[in-house]
Amino acid sequence: MSDHHKHRKSIVNRLARIEGHVRSVKDMAASDRDCGDLLIQLAAIRSALDNCGKLILKDHLEGCVVEAVKEGDDKVMDKLNDAIDKFIR
Amino acid sequence: MSDHHKHRKSIVNRLARIEGHVRSVKDMAASDRDCGDLLIQLAAIRSALDNCGKLILKDHLEGCVVEAVKEGDDKVMDKLNDAIDKFIR
């Protein structure tokens, strides 16, 4: 794993927890649980996804972008802007 | 599965696909893929979650709520409002 992705281990762990959470909500849906209960769990998953996304953005800013600017690589700013456009609404 | 949850099968299928999508992004993160690529995938997962949530709300309105109103159960409106508060931002 690259040095400039210092939060990557935590990001993988968060995604593993989110995966398990989605699986348990799928099981809740399959066993005919209340719509309201499902919605509350989906909101929790969305919030966990957003926090994971924030951590990825941090990694990107602290590592990749700083490094690329130092090396005079302009394309990385375009890619960052594109990712922010897609992620933040 | 109750009659009043007519979208439930589709909801379970969507959640199964979202679960697989989160797993594949976790694998991307573990194999040191670009931050921008990860963010774009997370945005796609969030959008799939939101669509799944909309379908659950539809089920809830078309089935549970209509039925409860007919039967004079007021508590269901409180539960629906609570779920909407938590889900819509």
Side-chain angles (χ1 to χ4, degrees):
Chain A
M1 217 165 274
S2 315
D3 289 344
H4 59 270
H5 285 156
K6 68 175 181 178
H7 299 298
R8 203 44 92 89
K9 200 172 184 317
S10 156
I11 289 162
V12 173
N13 289 340
R14 281 165 189 250
L15 287 168
R17 278 199 298 276
I18 293 168
E19 183 195 343
H21 200 165
V22 175
R23 183 165 45 246
S24 77
V25 179
K26 181 191 72 185
D27 294 342
M28 285 169 68
S31 49
D32 207 23
R33 284 279 293 276
D34 228 50
C35 299
D37 292 346
L38 298 183
L39 285 175
I40 287 166
Q41 293 308 315
L42 282 197
I45 292 171
R46 192 173 53 191
S47 150
L49 269 180
D50 285 347
N51 286 329
C52 184
K54 275 186 214 157
L55 205 55
I56 296 174
L57 266 180
K58 271 189 160 182
D59 243 3
H60 204 36
L61 285 169
E62 289 171 13
C64 317
V65 177
V66 173
E67 205 167 300
V69 170
K70 277 188 196 155
E71 289 170 5
D73 176 359
D74 317 324
K75 255 183 258 159
V76 81
M77 289 310 294
D78 294 340
K79 281 185 79 178
L80 176 63
N81 281 327
D82 194 44
I84 287 176
D85 275 344
K86 289 206 172 76
F87 191 68
I88 315 251
R89 13 167 221 196
Chain B
M1 218 165 274
S2 315
D3 288 345
H4 59 270
H5 285 155
K6 67 174 183 179
H7 300 297
R8 205 43 92 88
K9 201 171 181 317
S10 155
I11 289 162
V12 174
N13 290 340
R14 281 165 190 249
L15 287 168
R17 277 200 297 278
I18 292 168
E19 183 194 343
H21 200 166
V22 174
R23 183 163 48 246
S24 78
V25 179
K26 180 190 71 184
D27 293 342
M28 285 170 68
S31 50
D32 206 24
R33 286 279 291 276
D34 229 50
C35 299
D37 292 346
L38 299 184
L39 285 176
I40 287 165
Q41 293 308 316
L42 283 197
I45 292 171
R46 193 173 51 191
S47 151
L49 269 181
D50 285 347
N51 287 329
C52 184
K54 276 185 214 157
L55 206 54
I56 296 174
L57 266 179
K58 272 188 158 185
D59 245 3
H60 204 36
L61 284 170
E62 290 171 13
C64 319
V65 177
V66 173
E67 204 166 302
V69 170
K70 276 187 197 155
E71 290 169 3
D73 175 1
D74 322 323
K75 255 183 256 157
V76 82
M77 288 310 295
D78 294 341
K79 280 186 79 179
L80 176 63
N81 281 327
D82 193 46
I84 288 177
D85 275 346
K86 290 207 171 75
F87 191 68
I88 316 252
R89 8 168 227 197

